Amino acid sequence: MEEPQQSSTEAGFALRRLVPPPALCGFLLLLALVFAGSYAAGAAVGPVAPDMQRSGTGGDGSSGTEGGMDMKHGSGG
């Protein structure tokens, strides 16, 4: 009669070992809520600068480099 009880205890211990602790689950939930709240606040406020726009959304066909600055990458002259 001892063996079935012992095997169920071992199975319960293995199951408890695989489940993350409640404090970790609470922390991850709180972290997700903070990120969701900050994203919602940022979306509600809008861009941080008056002339800031997403790249590629301009209707004039520009590639997002405005102000006369030519952005070239690589070596060479």
Side-chain angles (χ1 to χ4, degrees):
M1 297 271 307
E2 292 294 322
E3 287 186 29
Q5 188 177 23
Q6 189 178 21
S7 65
S8 66
T9 304
E10 289 175 3
F13 179 72
L15 181 63
R16 275 185 270 149
R17 204 172 62 174
L18 293 175
V19 175
L24 178 62
C25 294
F27 173 73
L28 292 176
L29 178 65
L30 181 64
L31 190 66
L33 288 174
V34 167
F35 276 114
S38 65
Y39 180 79
V45 170
V48 293
D51 293 335
M52 183 181 246
Q53 297 177 357
R54 293 182 182 162
S55 62
T57 59
D60 59 352
S62 65
S63 64
T65 56
E66 296 179 7
M69 293 175 55
D70 191 14
M71 308 271 285
K72 293 183 180 178
H73 297 283
S75 62

